[in-house]
Amino acid sequence: MTQQVEIGRGKAGRRAYSLDEIGLVPSRRTRDPEEVSIAWQIDAYRFELPVVVAPMDSVVSPATAIEIGRLGGLAPLDLEGLWTRYEDPLPLLEEAAALDTAAATKRLQEIYTAPIKEELIGRRIEEIRASGVTTAVRLSPQRTVQYHKAVIDAGIDIFVIRGTTVSAEHVSGRAEPLNLKQFIYELDVPVIVGGCATHTAALHLMRTGAAGVLVGFGGGASHTTRNVLGVAVPMATAISDVAAARRDYMDESGGRYVHVIADGGMGTSGDIAKAIACGADAVMVGSPLARAVEAPGHGFHWGSEAHHPDLPRGRRVAFGTVGTLEQILHGPSSVADGSMNLMGALKRTMASTGYSDIKEFQRVEVVVAPIAR
């Protein structure tokens, strides 16, 4: 039984934990880091790294999607971003990085008012496909019905439907909502959908036939959803709850496994390790890779929430650069803050706690260990 904490006489709530508040406990054995596997597989696609790059213009361009694929990860291109609105978005990306902080949100809103061009959708997908890497793209639930045919015709491998909060039962009196179950059933490609943060919401998303579920509200460091909407569920608890939904759905469906992908709030290699320890099969990260010299944001980071025309729930954040994509993922690291050699650190964490692959590592013991402020 989950213990409720009294907030006041009229309201009680469950205590939830962030990744900062938990620690990993070594087991009775250790392993050689070189003998640890961090590979994972979703549907027919295997990846050597449990990393899905957040589909944000500041991180993913066709060129970086190809490079991430070459390095062993997956980088979905945002089909509602600048790459499908402009023939050549590079000058605008440079402008976005050079903006004064006070003017950034307003100018981003202006830049993103340009309409999405369907012909650019096919062109960008073909550019990534031609490289031979697994090709993934992202649409929001609101635009999936409008553009999904152009996406499928272009020949993608994995479809990501990502929003701040995505439900299997969206109620609207103004427009016909996206029927996720019917939509996913009719597609021939695996679909990753989210975000969600509760056992119930995740279970409903899994029942739609999704191959993967995103946990969290995305955005991480560039997100202001908690301030603007008051919506927040700490990631350690959210991931654990959705992992429990995965287990319950396996029982319900006769063994169908839905992958859990932690999305947002993971800025260091330690955060990534703890997300997987809580039950994630992979992580969706943006800010660690926004620091790459190849990143389109030139050391700045922002998501689609930052340029919402009516209610921005994100901001452009300055991170600077620390190294190449390869150095950030595979090292070597020249800093001691967990921002480089993310995958080498994950392997060392798994080896130090005695686990040889991702599925095993999900069973590692954790403790509540708040960081002293």
Side-chain angles (χ1 to χ4, degrees):
M1 179 69 72
T2 301
Q3 185 176 2
Q4 295 286 305
V5 177
E6 184 180 290
I7 296 169
R9 293 192 178 188
K11 181 69 73 172
R14 183 166 60 116
R15 175 70 169 93
Y17 297 94
S18 68
L19 294 172
D20 280 345
E21 294 177 283
I22 68 167
L24 309 182
V25 181
S27 67
R28 62 182 175 84
R29 67 168 65 90
T30 56
R31 296 183 183 274
D32 184 335
E34 295 305 313
E35 297 176 2
V36 168
S37 170
I38 55 174
W40 72 299
Q41 183 164 329
I42 184 165
D43 203 86
Y45 302 99
R46 175 185 166 91
F47 302 95
E48 295 306 312
L49 311 181
V51 172
V52 183
V53 183
M56 298 175 168
D57 279 343
S58 53
V59 186
V60 182
S61 65
T64 57
I66 292 167
E67 178 65 3
I68 291 293
R70 186 186 70 81
L71 293 170
L74 177 68
L77 183 70
D78 183 10
L79 294 184
E80 298 173 31
L82 297 180
W83 290 95
T84 56
R85 296 174 191 263
Y86 297 92
E87 290 278 347
D88 180 13
L90 293 177
L92 291 167
L93 288 163
E94 292 176 2
E95 180 189 348
L99 290 170
D100 177 80
T101 300
T105 297
K106 186 174 188 299
R107 180 56 183 146
L108 285 174
Q109 288 175 313
E110 293 170 353
I111 290 172
Y112 282 88
T113 57
I116 295 169
K117 300 179 176 68
E118 283 202 29
E119 66 272 17
L120 287 178
I121 290 177
R123 196 184 308 171
R124 303 309 186 198
I125 292 172
E126 176 53 34
E127 186 178 343
I128 300 170
R129 281 187 67 226
S131 72
V133 303
T134 301
T135 305
V137 296
R138 173 264 177 186
L139 283 171
S140 66
Q142 294 85 351
R143 286 195 166 106
T144 294
V145 171
Q146 182 178 359
Y147 294 115
H148 80 276
K149 188 177 186 304
V151 172
I152 298 303
D153 288 347
I156 58 154
D157 298 312
I158 297 175
F159 199 151
V160 179
I161 302 175
R162 181 180 187 253
T164 301
T165 305
V166 177
S167 70
E169 187 178 343
H170 179 68
V171 179
S172 174
R174 296 183 301 164
E176 183 68 26
L178 172 65
N179 184 327
L180 271 175
K181 189 169 187 177
Q182 180 182 345
F183 178 79
I184 292 173
Y185 177 78
E186 292 174 353
L187 288 180
D188 290 330
V189 300
V191 176
I192 297 171
V193 62
C196 67
T198 67
H199 178 278
T200 300
L203 195 56
H204 280 281
L205 287 179
M206 291 172 185
R207 288 169 178 160
T208 65
V213 170
L214 297 171
V215 185
F217 303 119
S222 65
H223 218 299
T224 59
T225 296
R226 179 169 186 158
N227 294 337
V228 177
L229 300 182
V231 174
V233 181
M235 282 296 284
T237 295
I239 297 166
S240 300
D241 283 353
V242 175
R246 175 183 60 203
R247 182 191 62 224
D248 292 344
Y249 179 69
M250 282 185 70
D251 292 340
E252 173 187 302
S253 64
R256 184 173 182 270
Y257 189 93
V258 178
H259 292 81
V260 172
I261 303 168
D263 180 10
M266 289 161 290
T268 67
S269 53
D271 293 334
I272 292 171
K274 288 188 279 188
I276 294 172
C278 287
D281 298 290
V283 297
M284 178 172 274
V285 294
S287 58
L289 298 174
R291 297 179 172 95
V293 294
E294 305 98 321
H298 301 281
F300 286 82
H301 186 43
W302 67 91
S304 58
E305 300 86 2
H307 52 77
H308 191 282
D310 302 315
L311 189 65
R313 300 181 302 281
R315 56 177 173 255
R316 190 200 60 160
V317 181
F319 282 118
T321 56
V322 296
T324 65
L325 285 169
E326 186 164 8
Q327 288 172 327
I328 291 171
L329 288 171
H330 293 300
S333 174
S334 58
V335 294
D337 60 3
S339 64
M340 296 182 74
N341 198 3
L342 303 178
M343 297 298 98
L346 175 59
K347 283 186 174 183
R348 189 164 293 274
T349 300
M350 292 168 62
S352 299
T353 52
Y355 297 91
S356 61
D357 60 41
I358 295 291
K359 290 284 196 301
E360 280 191 0
F361 185 54
Q362 291 170 345
R363 301 197 297 266
V364 67
E365 182 183 352
V366 301
V367 293
V368 177
I371 295 175
R373 301 295 182 186

